[in-house]
Amino acid sequence: MRTPIRSSDQSLAEQAFEAFRELLACGQIRSGQMISISELVEATGLPLAPVREAVKRAAAAGLVSILPKRGVLVLEATAAALHAGFHLRYLFDQEGARLLAQQAPDRELAHLRQEHELVLEQASEGAISAELQLKAMEVDWSLHAWLTGALNNPVALAVYEENRYRLSVMQHSRRPLPERIIPAMTEHLQIIDHIQAGAPELAVQAVRSHLQKTLRWWGIVDNDGQLFKTGR
């Protein structure tokens, strides 16, 4: 029989999981990288047992694969994995946009618009700094989180959060491209426009358009929206 994990051990395991997930999200441990448990112990500064529990949890969330006697393989940014992640996000986005467009606009929407417009303005002025790229990513994710939050469904939100971390890990496999900031902010503002106008179908169409353009940018689909047979 397995020995029950004490509450203190559970707390350490939670700390280890959050620390590991942060290393993945910020790109310190990258997509497709092989890493050992001992290296993770050193990176997190936490004991072996909770780190092992954290790795098991990360594997259950689809962030890594545990390869016996070899180590831990971080989720690879394959075309199939990227398409699955973005498509799942899209399912939440379109339903959230539809629901929000049927409601009266709130203060958060006005704040999101302001944040997007500020990033768009700064990006349009010329040279794009690393700081602005990070800000753009933060603002980008804020809209998707807001759309999913509109579902008011804790189960959906938990799935969204796991998917967000998987996408974050894979996004670090490609260097940030400044030229994507202006189109992405513009696409987001179109979604916000239709939500503010109370046009559910147009909001959903804008979400779908954003997905297709994102997939094209990643080289997952062609200009007609068809999946490439092999990842690029």
Side-chain angles (χ1 to χ4, degrees), residues 2-232:
R2 182 180 176 184
T3 303
I5 300 175
R6 298 190 302 272
S7 59
S8 59
D9 293 331
Q10 286 181 320
S11 176
L12 282 175
E14 182 67 26
Q15 289 178 46
F17 179 68
E18 290 302 322
F20 183 32
R21 198 161 64 167
E22 181 60 28
L23 290 170
L24 292 168
C26 70
Q28 287 183 253
I29 300 176
R30 303 184 69 84
S31 175
Q33 180 179 343
M34 182 75 76
I35 189 167
S36 68
I37 296 292
S38 60
E39 288 173 321
L40 287 174
V41 168
E42 182 178 353
T44 61
L46 292 165
L48 178 61
V51 169
R52 280 180 171 163
E53 287 296 323
V55 168
K56 291 178 184 178
R57 184 172 169 185
L63 292 169
V64 301
S65 297
I66 301 173
L67 305 181
K69 299 181 180 180
R70 293 180 59 192
V72 179
L73 178 64
V74 180
L75 174 66
E76 294 186 82
T78 63
L82 284 162
H83 185 268
F86 284 122
H87 185 256
L88 178 58
R89 188 178 72 175
Y90 158 72
L91 296 177
F92 293 138
D93 283 354
Q94 67 168 353
E95 182 62 7
R98 185 185 67 79
L99 291 172
L100 287 163
Q102 294 173 344
Q103 304 169 9
D106 60 16
R107 291 182 180 178
E108 188 170 359
L109 179 57
H111 175 70
L112 282 170
R113 170 179 283 284
Q114 184 179 38
E115 290 283 285
H116 279 77
E117 288 176 341
L118 181 59
V119 170
L120 183 58
E121 179 183 352
Q122 292 177 349
S124 300
E125 289 176 351
I128 296 176
S129 65
E131 182 180 0
L132 181 58
Q133 290 184 46
L134 290 174
K135 179 62 177 178
M137 289 177 65
E138 178 185 331
V139 170
D140 187 293
W141 276 107
S142 68
L143 177 68
H144 296 291
W146 179 66
L147 292 173
T148 300
L151 302 181
N152 196 27
N153 183 328
V155 176
L157 186 58
V159 173
Y160 164 82
E161 284 294 329
E162 286 192 351
N163 190 55
R164 180 174 74 87
Y165 276 102
R166 287 193 294 270
L167 283 173
S168 293
V169 170
M170 291 187 286
Q171 284 177 325
H172 283 294
S173 69
R174 161 176 279 189
R175 71 170 180 83
L177 293 180
E179 58 267 31
R180 177 58 185 155
I181 293 178
I182 292 177
M185 293 297 106
T186 301
E187 291 157 25
H188 277 206
L189 283 168
Q190 289 172 346
I191 296 170
I192 292 172
D193 285 342
H194 295 312
I195 291 174
Q196 284 187 312
E201 293 305 317
L202 291 177
V204 169
Q205 288 177 23
V207 169
R208 187 179 302 115
S209 175
H210 177 54
L211 169 70
Q212 290 301 319
K213 290 173 181 176
T214 299
L215 293 177
R216 281 201 294 273
W217 181 70
W218 275 93
I220 298 170
V221 300
D222 59 25
N223 289 332
D224 295 322
Q226 299 300 309
L227 281 170
F228 286 109
K229 291 183 180 179
T230 57
R232 304 200 308 179

